[in-house]
Amino acid sequence: MIPNARSLALSLAIAAASIHIEYCSGFTSPHFHSISPPLISIPIPIPTTSRLCAAKSDNKEDALKDGRLVEFTSGTGANKQTTLGAIIGKEGKKNLKILNSSGRTSSVPLRSIKHMVPNAREIMTQVQIEQHETAAANALEKDAAAGGQSVAEVWEMLLEDCNDDESCASDATADLVTLSDLILGDSSSMACYATRAVLTEGVESFCFKEIGNTNFDPVGGPIYEPRQMDVVATMRSRAKVEAMEAA
């Protein structure tokens, strides 16, 4: 299990995010209840007001600015692939010019852009893009060596009090930045990209599912919901059977 300090940190962060969310609808200042400080001083990634409101105020087109790091798809059918690249300008009226780690530039329509890496700004060179790809590869390697332990521990912590209650599980969501803090101890753009790789391709990738149309929140990133324990148990068993059959 994760130390009590990490559990307390997550609980307080989630509580902060839920206090008067109606502030995003137009109040000039939120009204907070008095909360006694914890006895232990813990650095907590508390979402700011701008982070809570970003998904509402930024649409896809507004969020995709020069220097942003994105994943986009190209090709069709069996040849379809996803590429990481940095937006370096516009191509005509509707497309964006995107640079990838090999130095190639592509003209990409907005519909082909599937994900924006949170906290990635002023990314304009091949080296910067390569650093993110290397961070993801290293994270996947470490995750495999540890058997997905870090992801599983965070998943268990979020579901600690749910007791297979589906509505509880849907309320225990966390954005990519928060999960990156909890899993890797860092919320930089490289850590966020690495965390997403682990959540989608790692050993315990079935613990979380990405929900909602939040891939273009420039502050918190996409939202993840922990799957219920019985669902994860079934998916784990199926994965073991498939691995044995493939061996």
Side-chain angles (χ1 to χ4, degrees), residues 2 4 14 16-17 30 73 102 110 121 123 132 141 144-145 154 163 166-167 184 186 190 210 214 222 227 230 244:
I2 289 179
N4 290 336
I14 293 173
T73 58
S102 67
L110 289 179
R121 297 174 178 84
I123 308 295
H132 287 77
E141 186 177 335
V154 171
N163 297 319
E166 186 173 352
S167 61
L184 297 183
D186 185 4
M190 283 191 288
E210 193 174 302
T214 56
R227 287 190 171 97
D230 59 336
M244 291 176 63

Side-chain angles (χ1 to χ4, degrees), residues 142-184:
K142 291 178 181 178
D143 177 73
Q149 181 180 358
S150 294
V151 173
E153 285 180 341
V154 171
W155 169 73
E156 289 173 0
M157 182 172 64
L158 288 170
L159 289 181
E160 218 164 39
D161 301 318
C162 282
N163 297 319
D164 293 328
D165 182 345
E166 186 173 352
S167 61
C168 172
S170 64
D171 289 337
T173 57
D175 63 28
L176 181 57
V177 169
T178 299
L179 289 175
S180 185
D181 270 324
L182 292 169
I183 294 171
L184 297 183

Side-chain angles (χ1 to χ4, degrees), residues 167-228:
S167 61
C168 172
S170 64
D171 289 337
T173 57
D175 63 28
L176 181 57
V177 169
T178 299
L179 289 175
S180 185
D181 270 324
L182 292 169
I183 294 171
L184 297 183
D186 185 4
S187 61
S188 66
S189 61
M190 283 191 288
C192 285
Y193 185 66
T195 298
R196 188 166 186 267
V198 170
L199 290 174
T200 56
E201 303 173 43
V203 176
E204 293 283 7
S205 59
F206 27 72
C207 287
F208 291 90
K209 62 179 177 180
E210 193 174 302
I211 61 171
N213 187 22
T214 56
N215 278 350
F216 300 95
D217 175 355
V219 184
I223 303 296
Y224 290 85
E225 178 184 309
R227 287 190 171 97
Q228 290 178 273

Side-chain angles (χ1 to χ4, degrees), residues 41-205:
S41 178
I42 306 169
I44 303 171
I46 299 178
T48 63
T49 303
S50 61
R51 177 165 162 185
L52 293 174
C53 300
K56 290 187 178 181
S57 61
D58 282 6
N59 61 37
K60 183 175 181 178
E61 189 172 358
D62 290 339
L64 297 174
K65 303 178 184 297
D66 288 6
R68 297 289 193 187
L69 194 62
V70 298
E71 284 185 329
F72 64 94
T73 58
S74 58
T76 58
N79 296 320
K80 190 172 184 178
Q81 60 181 7
T82 300
T83 305
L84 180 69
I87 301 172
I88 58 173
K90 291 186 177 182
E91 189 85 2
K93 293 183 178 180
K94 297 183 178 180
N95 289 10
L96 295 173
K97 189 176 182 180
I98 297 181
L99 172 73
N100 66 23
S101 61
S102 67
R104 180 182 176 184
T105 58
S106 302
S107 180
V108 181
L110 289 179
R111 66 177 180 277
S112 295
I113 298 176
K114 304 303 180 184
H115 170 66
M116 183 173 69
V117 181
N119 296 332
R121 297 174 178 84
E122 299 181 7
I123 308 295
M124 302 295 286
T125 67
Q126 291 175 241
V127 172
Q128 290 172 301
I129 302 167
E130 286 174 354
Q131 288 173 338
H132 287 77
E133 292 176 335
T134 299
N138 290 341
L140 284 169
E141 186 177 335
K142 291 178 181 178
D143 177 73
Q149 181 180 358
S150 294
V151 173
E153 285 180 341
V154 171
W155 169 73
E156 289 173 0
M157 182 172 64
L158 288 170
L159 289 181
E160 218 164 39
D161 301 318
C162 282
N163 297 319
D164 293 328
D165 182 345
E166 186 173 352
S167 61
C168 172
S170 64
D171 289 337
T173 57
D175 63 28
L176 181 57
V177 169
T178 299
L179 289 175
S180 185
D181 270 324
L182 292 169
I183 294 171
L184 297 183
D186 185 4
S187 61
S188 66
S189 61
M190 283 191 288
C192 285
Y193 185 66
T195 298
R196 188 166 186 267
V198 170
L199 290 174
T200 56
E201 303 173 43
V203 176
E204 293 283 7
S205 59

